[in-house]
Amino acid sequence: MSSHGGKRDGAGRPVHKPFVPKGEQVPPAKPDDLGEFASRVWDDAVVALPHVLRPLDYGILRLACEAFQIAMTVEDAKVRLQAMRAFESHARQIGLTPSSRKTVKPCDDEQQPDDDQFNQWMRKGGLN
């Protein structure tokens, strides 16, 4: 332990543990009626974002999946473009795009105490 209140590695850098949400995280049950492409998006999302998705988010996840399904299967270019725009809009809200992953933060059902300014800064994304 250092005088700064946290563990440090051999080079003096703070050692940070990955965020682990409190409480049991259960992946949402995939709807049976999703198409092939929508099903892939659902599976990828629940694996990649278990720390973000909550039961209230499953509706928007389903909308994103269905929009992706339409975009991948429809032949009309205007409908495909509308579906891709809808997918992008829904996907951004829950962290399914590279840029949104920088702003969509993990859920923590219990507030963690802010033990020092450095840890507060790191929880907010540090230099990102």
Side-chain angles (χ1 to χ4, degrees), residues 36-96:
E36 174 189 358
F37 295 104
S39 183
R40 288 183 197 169
V41 171
W42 184 281
D43 291 341
D44 290 344
V46 298
V47 168
L49 301 170
H51 59 290
V52 172
L53 295 172
R54 288 289 183 255
L56 288 174
D57 303 324
Y58 302 156
I60 196 77
L61 174 58
R62 181 176 179 123
L63 290 173
C65 293
E66 290 173 345
F68 189 76
Q69 178 72 30
I70 292 168
M72 297 305 293
T73 57
V74 72
E75 294 190 16
D76 183 289
K78 286 183 180 180
V79 174
R80 174 175 285 143
L81 182 58
Q82 289 174 335
M84 284 308 295
R85 286 180 178 157
F87 170 74
E88 183 181 12
S89 174
H90 300 321
R92 267 196 318 264
Q93 293 180 43
I94 54 178
L96 291 179

Side-chain angles (χ1 to χ4, degrees), residues 19-25 54 106-114 123:
F19 177 79
V20 179
K22 296 182 176 155
E24 187 173 335
Q25 300 277 318
R54 288 289 183 255
C107 298
D108 188 3
D109 294 332
E110 296 181 31
Q111 293 281 332
Q112 295 180 357
D114 289 331
R123 276 193 286 280

